[in-house]
Amino acid sequence: MITKTKITRRQAICTTLAASALAQPAAWAQAYPNKPVRIIVGFPPGGVADTFARSIQPSLQEALGQPVVIETRAGANGNLAADQVAKSAGDGYTLCLSSTGIESVNPLMLPKSFDVARDLQPVAMLGIIQLFLVTKQALPPNNFKEFLAYAKANVGKLSYGSAGSGSTPHLAGELFKQSAGVFATHIPYRGAAPAMQDLLGGQVDFYFDPGIGFPHVRAGRLKMHAVASRKRSALFPEVPTLLEAGIKDVETDTIFGLWAPASTPADIVSRINREVNKSLDLTAVKQRYRDLGGEATPVTVSEFKSRIAAETATFGAVIRSRNIKADA
């Protein structure tokens, strides 16, 4: 009888330990993250978005304890990547890296296979890229005041390039024309690089450059007249903002960030936001952004949403008033 009782107790203890051992892996399996995290970039390799992703990749991997895999799904001003992520599981393992144009511009201009407000949620603001008003070297003006006078005196003769209809450089050009009271023909390209190439070749007269023209400005092949931002550039502190030059309402920084499927739990979104912000605060990351003419911007999810809302109001107004079309 005594032996039977001892065996029964031993069995009970073993059973409890076994159940505990089985329960622990189940709990661990639910912890985030326990597998690689994918970032789907909505623009081509080698561009600003791709560079932003790779700048934070090492520190984000270390913080999460998992590989961070960067993939490219370029096209439709970021919509192809956004569509893929919108249709992914809301578990924090698939994120979209794009410009805020997927919310502020694309719904007004492009066919929709998803509803960005319904299917995605902002997670973290990565940074901004300033836009610089640059002209071809052969254009006579040597400063913004001269450029504005030249544009007003040559109505219908100037053209400007952009990275495509609805891109931030395009909308910056339209806001500039509207605020400055000048006219110039818009020439859309498939990306910033070909637009810059034609500016260097003299096929277009000016361009709101997202920073790829810096070497050409320094070499004297292009002229830089103003920055379409809230503040001057640390790289070109002598160049005035358009507001300083008397042109209002043309603050058009290109904002990049991360989005997740709308069903992603709040605690996972908060974790990603927190770790991304830590990465953005690293000296090496800040410097990499500055080299591009940009700025790392660690903010809360709520602050990121506010920036998107403000941009949506500005860009939505100019798209409607100028009747901008995707195929323009």
Side-chain angles (χ1 to χ4, degrees):
M1 186 71 178
I2 294 174
T3 302
K4 184 176 179 181
T5 302
K6 287 182 178 179
I7 293 172
T8 301
R9 288 175 179 171
R10 188 180 298 114
Q11 289 174 333
I13 292 170
C14 291
T15 300
T16 301
L17 290 174
S20 176
L22 289 172
Q24 286 180 1
W28 294 336
Q30 295 173 5
Y32 175 86
N34 61 15
K35 63 180 182 180
V37 175
R38 300 162 63 214
I39 296 179
I40 313 298
V41 180
F43 297 91
V48 171
D50 183 64
T51 302
F52 276 9
R54 297 185 189 282
S55 296
I56 66 170
Q57 183 185 29
S59 52
L60 197 56
Q61 288 182 148
E62 183 178 353
L64 296 176
Q66 292 290 339
V68 174
V69 181
I70 297 171
E71 301 176 13
T72 298
R73 188 81 193 279
N77 199 30
N79 259 19
L80 293 186
D83 182 45
Q84 181 177 342
V85 173
K87 294 171 181 174
S88 300
D91 53 14
Y93 292 103
T94 307
L95 305 172
C96 169
L97 194 161
S98 182
S99 73
T100 45
I102 61 171
E103 289 205 49
S104 63
V105 174
N106 294 2
L108 297 174
M109 295 183 59
L110 299 174
K112 295 191 295 182
S113 59
F114 68 101
D115 185 329
V116 63
R118 181 195 66 203
D119 300 333
L120 290 173
Q121 60 174 313
V123 173
M125 181 171 163
L126 296 183
I128 63 169
I129 288 290
Q130 293 178 306
L131 296 183
F132 299 82
L133 173 57
V134 294
T135 67
K136 64 183 182 182
Q137 198 279 334
L139 208 68
N142 291 310
N143 56 53
F144 179 76
K145 184 178 180 180
E146 292 178 0
F147 172 74
L148 185 59
Y150 185 86
K152 289 185 175 182
N154 290 272
V155 179
K157 295 181 181 180
L158 296 184
S159 63
Y160 76 99
S162 82
S165 295
S167 65
T168 311
H170 176 203
L171 298 176
E174 292 302 310
L175 284 167
F176 170 69
K177 287 159 56 178
Q178 183 173 274
S179 298
V182 299
F183 177 81
T185 302
H186 172 230
I187 310 296
Y189 291 85
R190 293 185 179 276
M196 176 57 63
Q197 195 62 40
D198 268 11
L199 181 67
L200 288 166
Q203 279 74 43
V204 292
D205 297 299
F206 67 97
Y207 177 47
F208 280 91
D209 173 34
I212 64 173
F214 290 168
H216 307 297
V217 171
R218 295 187 177 108
R221 291 187 290 268
L222 296 175
K223 299 176 183 179
M224 182 183 291
H225 297 314
V227 56
S229 186
R230 299 179 181 182
K231 59 184 179 181
R232 293 192 181 198
S233 165
L235 294 177
F236 299 92
E238 73 284 1
V239 177
T241 66
L242 285 172
L243 182 59
E244 289 175 320
I247 307 300
K248 299 179 180 179
D249 304 321
V250 194
E251 296 175 355
T252 52
D253 296 325
T254 302
I255 304 172
F256 290 91
L258 292 175
W259 283 258
S263 58
T264 306
D267 59 333
I268 292 179
V269 170
S270 296
R271 171 79 188 280
I272 297 170
N273 177 271
R274 185 167 62 250
E275 302 301 352
V276 166
N277 286 347
K278 289 178 183 177
S279 295
L280 295 175
D281 205 35
L282 295 174
T283 300
V285 174
K286 289 180 179 178
Q287 187 57 53
R288 184 70 187 99
Y289 277 39
R290 288 193 200 104
D291 291 344
L292 294 170
E295 179 184 355
T297 52
V299 299
T300 65
V301 174
S302 178
E303 289 169 326
F304 185 27
K305 289 179 179 178
S306 295
R307 288 294 296 269
I308 294 171
E311 182 180 274
T312 300
T314 298
F315 286 170
V318 73
I319 288 169
R320 294 185 184 95
S321 67
R322 310 292 283 192
N323 195 29
I324 298 174
K325 305 294 184 182
D327 56 352

